[in-house]
Amino acid sequence: MSRTTMKGLRFAAHGGPEVLSWDDVPVPEPGPGELLIEVRAFAINWADLLERAGKYPGAPEPPYVTGHDLTGVVVAHGPGTEGPAIGTRVFGVIPRGGAAAEFVAAPADQVYPVPDALDDHKAAGAAGPYLTADAAIVTLGRLRKGEDVLIQAAAGAYGSACLQLCRAYGAGTIIATAGSAAKVEQLRRWGADVAVDYTTRDFAEVVTEVTGGRGVPLVLESVGGDVLGRSLDCVSPGGRLVSVGASSGRSSDRFRLHTLFELGISVSGFTLGKWLERNPELVRPSVERVLGQFETGAADPVVARVFPAAEVADAHAFLAGRRSIGRTVVAMTPTF
């Protein structure tokens, strides 16, 4: 690498999308076991919005280069790093951040070769939602073939990944929720058996009707707040609820320790970044299953919109406005 500086997306203080700026920063040096990746595209998560707003627990103090989900090309190896080879197109999630830049240094075990079926825009946002969904469904949710599932916020990146993988893994009736009539229609096209607009109907009542009052063995939840609280009423005795986030920015007053034994259910929490940083081998089975689903076409990442790098603030606003059906992606360009 002959370059010593690059453009990186930072914010000097917490605030709205207007605080984002492309700044000149040093090109990172890959350390032992790391790769230097030239970034082609990155996706925006709810975590990115919360970090920018100063509401994400454990985030560093600004300024720092943001971004976690990316696709790009390997351009250099750190000391002792073996593969992927230079020139390999890779995608992944970088828990420590830095993906919203022209280059990023990343641990080699946190990125994976991109399947030929995925272009850069689909690959940029694929790893986070699909690896999270697989772990929630299989590792923690222990889905058995024929079991009914409730998927909350199923029109988003994570929810749509859950819907596709539940169908591929043999779920029974899939009940999926979303926040508008247009999103509900999309859920039906994606294969949801029952699609609920939670702005006009009580999803818990729908679950009761569909299941004859039994509830569902598995709930996949990512909203938090009242949605999490009401979701507890949808789990059948002995069932499981897996929570992977709180896009509402709120916890649930309903959730208490006694809730578990009162309802006779289990509740699990999952954050992909923690597993990648502390125990990446736990993620490897999910990687293998998800790559297989991409190769067969059973899983196909949904991209809501692609923004050029110069319009990254608009991309943040687009996601925050809950207008996206699928992933919000930013494509890197030669100039900013």
Side-chain angles (χ1 to χ4, degrees), residues 254-263:
R254 169 85 190 284
F255 184 69
R256 297 285 190 277
L257 178 60
H258 73 269
T259 305
L260 302 181
F261 51 79
E262 183 180 87
L263 298 178

Side-chain angles (χ1 to χ4, degrees), residues 119-247:
D119 62 23
D120 287 341
H121 299 156
K122 289 186 175 184
Y130 283 88
L131 296 182
T132 299
D134 181 274
I137 295 164
V138 179
T139 309
L140 298 174
R142 306 186 303 280
L143 177 71
R144 292 185 287 269
K145 286 189 177 181
E147 285 188 324
D148 299 339
V149 182
L150 170 63
I151 305 171
Q152 300 288 16
Y158 167 72
S160 61
C162 285
L163 204 165
Q164 292 179 10
L165 293 183
C166 280
R167 182 60 68 208
Y169 297 160
T173 299
I174 298 176
I175 306 170
T177 73
S180 72
K183 290 181 178 181
V184 163
E185 285 304 312
Q186 185 62 62
L187 298 185
R188 295 192 179 103
R189 287 193 289 270
W190 288 341
D193 297 294
V194 180
V196 184
D197 182 348
Y198 57 72
T199 66
T200 60
R201 292 203 66 186
D202 183 339
F203 64 81
E205 292 182 358
V206 174
V207 170
T208 298
E209 294 171 6
V210 171
T211 65
R214 297 185 308 274
V216 295
L218 179 60
V219 174
L220 302 170
E221 210 286 304
S222 58
V223 181
D226 295 338
V227 174
L228 171 58
R230 199 77 173 104
S231 294
L232 294 169
D233 296 323
C234 299
V235 187
S236 60
R240 294 86 62 198
L241 183 150
V242 182
S243 172
V244 304
S247 61

